[in-house]
Amino acid sequence: GGAAPAAGAPKRGGKATMVVWQWPVLLNPLLGTQTVQVDIGYLVFDGLTRVKPDATREPALAKEVPTVQNGGITADGKTVTYNLKDNLKFADGSPLNCEDVKYTWKAYMTPGVGVVTTTGYEDIEDIDCSNPQKAVLKFKKPFAPHLTLFGSILPRSAGDPKDMKNWKLNQLAYGAGPFKVTEFKTDEYITLVRNENYHEAGKPYLDGVTVVFKPSSEVALQSLVSGESDIMWNNTEADLPKLEGKPGVKISSPEGIGGERFFFNLAENKDGSDPSKPHAILGDVKVRQAIALGINKQRIIDTLLFKKGRPGTSELNSGFFACTQIQPVAYDAAKAKALLDEAGWKPGADGIREKNGTKLRLKFSTTSGNKLREDSQILILEDMKNIGVEFFVENQPSAVILGTWDSPSPRRRGNFDILMYTTSAGADDPHSQMVNLWSSSRIPSEKNKGGTNYTRFQDPKADDLLAKAATEFDPAKRKDMYCQLAQMRSDLVDMVYLYQRFDLESYRDRLQGWEENGPASFAASARNWWLK
């Protein structure tokens, strides 16, 4: 007989169970962005390239990541060629070639089906499939973040894109990833089995993964601790004391990108705000700097995040594009008071500062019903009182705060002082986030109802940097442009970065091959999972 496998060598077989406490409405990556859906999507779909834990890319269905050096990108940046691996198949056995890349593009561009984004896809003029092994993308204009496209290739066998809402694939999902869905029982379970046509020989090692729904995170946690399940999806910091030191339990905590922050309204606080008119109080950079200096971020992290987390720095706090030169704003109440004195705000009889008969009083809003946010508001109110600033809380449901111009949402309409919530750039490419937050073309208005530049920040230098970055294919040069922008607005304080959380999951140590991957997902390593 042959030699026994080495002790650490992966063995084939067995099923892993993952417990979730939110249910994915569907699994089609073109139709939703729920976190639970995105994570499960990594088990099912594969793209031309994939994001590694360090936020760089490696080939998946393509033989290599196209670059100017290897001939994959033309000098003018308008043609990008992917050489596909040989004999690729989808989980249903149908062949995978350039026509499926083109089909996926067409699906994104089908009007009226409600895809999650067309950014980048709308810049493609055509995909040339004259050689089925080569997908030749012809862009109307250079699109530097082109690698963010085609993270999931859909099979032509899915059906007519116009009929997407009725596709079987929305629930019984299959693609070119390591597993395919054979059962989807709403609010109960999803059964995934090995894709026998997977493009990496011998993988995945597992026979399958079963996703089981639990009614709450507490019940899910119990299931993991008791050993009934192998993986618990999406832990919060409050779970950590219940998991640490438990036999057989491991905690996965890669650094996330982005994080919780204040959005200051730099323009007047009124419905349909005019961005050319500065905010009566927050229009002064010294006031904004004082507020940033007056918040004790470490106290929030120690008290509410069980010391797991770190003070926020900038939009680009992690991964390849991280602006390491931008440090967190240190807590300094004395400096904050001095700045407010300089700005002419003097303490009144009640300790709250005043200037020309106006109190230094600001409305502070976040999404209601979120305990972590409400608890952090209490600490921030204390910090502000300490420097003579009065914040008053007026929270609203996330559907209102994060809603549309017509709903009406205060962040779109501009009738707010300070909003607090979390957002993040794409971990492997921040371009769209940088444009959304700081391009003057994205300031919301009656004419631009979908605008996303909520602080109403505008600077021709920033617009110029963003335009240059969009056509710069050298990532190091592009990073330099984004970091110039991040520095510029760090100096101007249109936001205060409070804290950055970790992506928390937990799993049993019998599950091997796990890889922490903050930029993508823990499930991006599922092809390598095995049970000992």
Side-chain angles (χ1 to χ4, degrees):
K11 64 178 216 276
R12 271 174 81 90
K15 291 191 170 80
T17 302
M18 171 159 94
V19 281
V20 299
W21 44 274
Q22 277 177 16
W23 187 254
V25 180
L26 41 72
L27 297 175
N28 179 345
L30 272 61
L31 292 180
T33 57
Q34 270 179 292
T35 308
V36 67
Q37 176 200 325
V38 171
D39 287 332
I40 296 169
Y42 277 94
L43 303 174
V44 179
F45 297 99
D46 232 335
L48 296 175
T49 62
R50 64 167 81 98
V51 181
K52 298 199 312 192
D54 66 358
T56 60
R57 281 186 176 262
E58 63 182 1
L61 299 171
K63 285 180 177 169
E64 67 218 334
V65 177
T67 61
V68 176
Q69 289 74 16
N70 67 20
I73 303 172
T74 51
D76 66 2
K78 285 187 177 176
T79 305
V80 177
T81 301
Y82 285 93
N83 294 303
L84 301 175
K85 289 179 179 169
D86 301 328
N87 306 316
L88 290 172
K89 286 182 181 162
F90 286 103
D92 68 340
S94 60
L96 189 168
N97 59 39
C98 177
E99 293 297 343
D100 300 280
V101 179
K102 190 167 189 168
Y103 168 83
T104 302
W105 168 54
K106 292 275 209 253
Y108 269 106
M109 295 311 298
T110 306
V113 293
V115 298
V116 292
T117 180
T118 57
T119 299
Y121 297 103
E122 62 198 359
D123 294 322
I124 297 173
E125 192 156 31
D126 193 24
I127 298 181
D128 174 1
C129 289
S130 46
N131 176 346
Q133 289 305 110
K134 277 184 196 290
V136 183
L137 282 48
K138 308 270 190 188
F139 284 85
K140 299 171 196 165
K141 57 176 200 282
F143 180 67
H146 62 97
L147 291 173
T148 58
L149 306 176
F150 300 105
S152 300
I153 300 298
L154 293 183
R156 280 167 279 167
S157 54
D160 183 346
K162 287 205 240 350
D163 188 39
M164 199 185 292
K165 66 175 194 302
N166 300 316
W167 279 1
K168 262 206 185 103
L169 175 136
N170 292 341
Q171 294 184 323
L172 296 178
Y174 64 96
F179 301 96
K180 64 178 181 182
V181 176
T182 54
E183 289 179 284
F184 186 106
K185 289 256 196 278
T186 299
D187 289 339
E188 286 184 47
Y189 62 87
I190 299 171
T191 308
L192 297 109
V193 304
R194 175 188 288 125
N195 168 9
E196 297 295 352
N197 298 302
Y198 191 57
H199 59 92
E200 289 186 30
K203 292 184 186 179
Y205 301 120
L206 293 174
D207 293 336
V209 177
T210 309
V211 176
V212 179
F213 178 67
K214 298 289 181 187
S216 70
S217 62
E218 288 75 22
V219 179
L221 188 122
Q222 214 29 60
S223 161
L224 180 88
V225 170
S226 72
E228 179 199 9
S229 53
D230 301 289
I231 300 166
M232 176 179 171
W233 170 83
N234 206 339
N235 289 109
T236 65
E237 291 83 0
D239 295 342
L240 295 172
K242 301 170 205 159
L243 293 167
E244 279 162 351
K246 289 283 186 292
V249 171
K250 295 194 125 176
I251 296 166
S252 175
S253 60
E255 188 171 61
I257 190 160
E260 188 83 349
R261 80 277 309 271
F262 275 11
F263 287 77
F264 284 134
N265 187 356
L266 304 189
E268 56 174 359
N269 172 351
K270 69 186 269 264
D271 189 32
S273 175
D274 176 353
S276 68
K277 295 187 174 142
H279 190 286
I281 296 174
L282 294 171
D284 183 346
V285 68
K286 283 184 177 165
V287 174
R288 302 196 301 270
Q289 284 168 334
I291 291 171
L293 287 160
I295 297 171
N296 187 342
K297 299 175 192 172
Q298 197 58 50
R299 180 166 77 133
I300 298 175
I301 293 164
D302 292 348
T303 316
L304 303 177
L305 296 180
F306 296 85
K307 298 188 167 57
K308 275 271 191 221
R310 56 173 60 163
T313 50
S314 80
E315 209 51 45
L316 303 174
N317 54 3
S318 173
F320 173 81
F321 287 96
C323 305
T324 45
Q325 73 278 24
I326 302 179
Q327 294 301 309
V329 176
Y331 173 54
D332 190 336
K335 197 170 167 189
K337 290 174 181 171
L339 276 170
L340 292 170
D341 288 339
E342 274 174 49
W345 292 94
K346 302 291 184 229
D350 58 357
I352 302 303
R353 294 171 182 268
E354 301 172 7
K355 180 178 175 179
N356 308 331
T358 304
K359 286 255 187 213
L360 214 176
R361 193 166 181 266
L362 296 160
K363 181 166 77 176
F364 179 25
S365 312
T366 189
T367 57
S368 51
N370 180 317
K371 189 167 172 1
L372 171 59
R373 290 191 173 141
E374 289 167 355
D375 288 349
S376 61
Q377 282 181 313
I378 294 167
L379 298 180
I380 291 166
L381 258 66
E382 288 173 9
D383 287 341
M384 289 299 102
K385 201 171 173 189
N386 178 38
I387 61 167
V389 176
E390 186 182 0
F391 277 9
F392 65 98
V393 168
E394 204 171 284
N395 295 339
Q396 292 174 294
S398 67
V400 176
I401 287 192
L402 310 180
T404 61
W405 179 272
D406 296 315
S407 60
S409 141
R411 68 174 185 172
R412 299 260 186 201
R413 295 278 192 148
N415 49 341
F416 72 92
D417 293 329
I418 296 167
L419 293 177
M420 179 175 75
Y421 58 91
T422 289
T423 177
S424 62
D428 63 305
D429 200 300
H431 186 75
S432 60
Q433 175 86 337
M434 303 303 272
V435 170
N436 286 344
L437 292 182
W438 295 302
S439 163
S440 61
S441 69
R442 293 291 196 275
I443 294 175
S445 66
E446 187 67 59
K447 285 198 187 75
N448 190 19
K449 290 182 176 179
T452 47
N453 175 347
Y454 303 119
T455 64
R456 277 78 182 155
F457 164 91
Q458 48 187 335
D459 188 318
K461 217 164 71 208
D463 290 338
D464 188 46
L465 276 169
L466 289 166
K468 283 202 179 96
T471 59
E472 176 51 71
F473 280 76
D474 177 333
K477 288 183 183 162
R478 201 148 59 92
K479 172 181 167 168
D480 182 56
M481 292 176 196
Y482 296 142
C483 289
Q484 283 179 52
L485 178 62
Q487 185 64 60
M488 187 167 140
R489 44 137 325 277
S490 177
D491 299 339
L492 277 167
V493 204
D494 72 322
M495 293 190 192
V496 178
Y497 292 90
L498 296 168
Y499 55 79
Q500 170 190 348
R501 295 168 78 174
F502 296 103
D503 291 335
L504 297 173
E505 255 86 25
S506 49
Y507 63 101
R508 305 291 309 186
D509 60 10
R510 63 177 176 247
L511 181 78
Q512 302 284 302
W514 182 281
E515 185 174 47
E516 295 195 348
N517 191 330
S521 162
F522 67 93
S525 60
R527 65 190 185 284
N528 298 321
W529 292 349
W530 58 281
L531 292 167
K532 67 170 190 206

